[in-house]
Amino acid sequence: TMGGQVLLCGGFSDVLGPPSITNACVLYTPGPALTACGAAAPGAVVSLSALNGMTIARAVHTATLLNDGRVFITGGVGQPCDAGVPASACSNAQYNVTSEIFSPGTGVAGGGAFVGAHALINARAFHTATMMGNGKILIAGGRNSLDKNANRGILDTAEIYDPIADTMTPAAPMEERRQNHTAILDVDGTVKLFGGLGIAGPVACVRGGRWSRDGVCGYVPGESLPAALGLPLPAVAAGEVLEVTFGEK
């Protein structure tokens, strides 16, 4: 969050028994800088405060800091509604389609509150969610339980969340399926995706939300999403790193 604090939410936990997925959250407030030996400086105060939990338990989700200090949380895998699990914290869907937003300084005693946000178009986990130069969030790749025989559940789909309008719109699909990849915001507002697990293949550009191997394409706001232009590009050889750019200017 803004102000140097760190929001820690969800994940796997075995505190209360067998491993399970939790909706618990804490807010970490760092103290002054550490000494050269790694010890806290004299008088340093480090705070780890329990917060109200997320609206649903989730793990391998994403959390993205918004420009106004709120945090957008989406996707992930859910906690099955087994015996003893509160109905408010579980989901019988293996992959979450839900989203929520954490607003610091609100809720009970100002400890922050979680409120629902627009759902994903495709449930997913192991994805990336990166804020672009225009403040919207690019949600890309990941996996879910659909079409396992065809693609092992790995996704090539992408969508864009607008935190001001609270809307989710489809983006052009990536040219490769990816999960556990890395997404980096470049200085020009584009998002670069690297690596991950998926199925290797050539990359082409798509108007209205363009993907490319060499970074020459960018997202063009307001355009529709027609079919790929089919520009031929070489397949990635073993040991090479594929760089894909997607952005909104």
Side-chain angles (χ1 to χ4, degrees), residues 32-240:
L34 301 179
T35 65
C37 296
V45 177
V46 176
S47 171
L48 198 62
S49 307
L51 300 174
N52 301 315
M54 293 184 292
T55 60
I56 195 169
R58 60 180 86 224
V60 289
H61 51 283
T62 54
T64 308
L65 179 64
L66 303 178
N67 287 329
D68 59 6
R70 298 180 300 160
V71 180
F72 173 69
I73 299 171
T74 192
V77 294
Q79 172 64 34
C81 294
D82 298 327
V85 178
S88 60
C90 68
S91 169
N92 282 320
Q94 181 181 5
Y95 292 90
N96 286 328
V97 72
T98 61
S99 303
E100 54 192 294
I101 290 179
F102 172 73
S103 298
T106 61
V108 179
F114 292 88
V115 296
H118 200 291
L120 291 165
I121 298 170
N122 298 115
R124 64 184 76 222
F126 305 101
H127 55 282
T128 54
T130 311
M131 180 178 291
M132 298 183 286
N134 64 354
K136 297 180 182 179
I137 298 173
L138 172 67
I139 301 163
R143 71 176 296 128
N144 61 26
S145 57
L146 301 178
D147 300 325
K148 283 188 175 180
N149 292 334
N151 57 33
R152 300 184 179 90
I154 302 174
L155 302 172
D156 62 356
T157 58
E159 44 198 289
I160 297 173
Y161 176 68
D162 184 340
I164 296 178
D166 188 33
T167 57
M168 195 77 69
T169 56
M174 299 183 293
E175 292 295 325
E176 289 195 51
R177 302 181 186 276
R178 294 173 183 269
Q179 71 168 69
N180 299 97
H181 51 284
T182 299
I184 300 174
L185 178 65
D186 208 341
V187 293
D188 63 357
T190 62
V191 179
K192 293 184 176 179
L193 274 59
F194 298 90
L197 302 176
I199 302 171
V203 179
C205 295
V206 181
R207 285 189 60 80
R210 301 169 180 167
W211 298 91
S212 75
R213 188 183 185 208
D214 55 8
V216 299
C217 294
Y219 180 72
V220 182
E223 290 191 340
S224 60
L225 304 177
L229 298 179
L231 302 179
L233 289 173
V236 179
E240 289 187 347

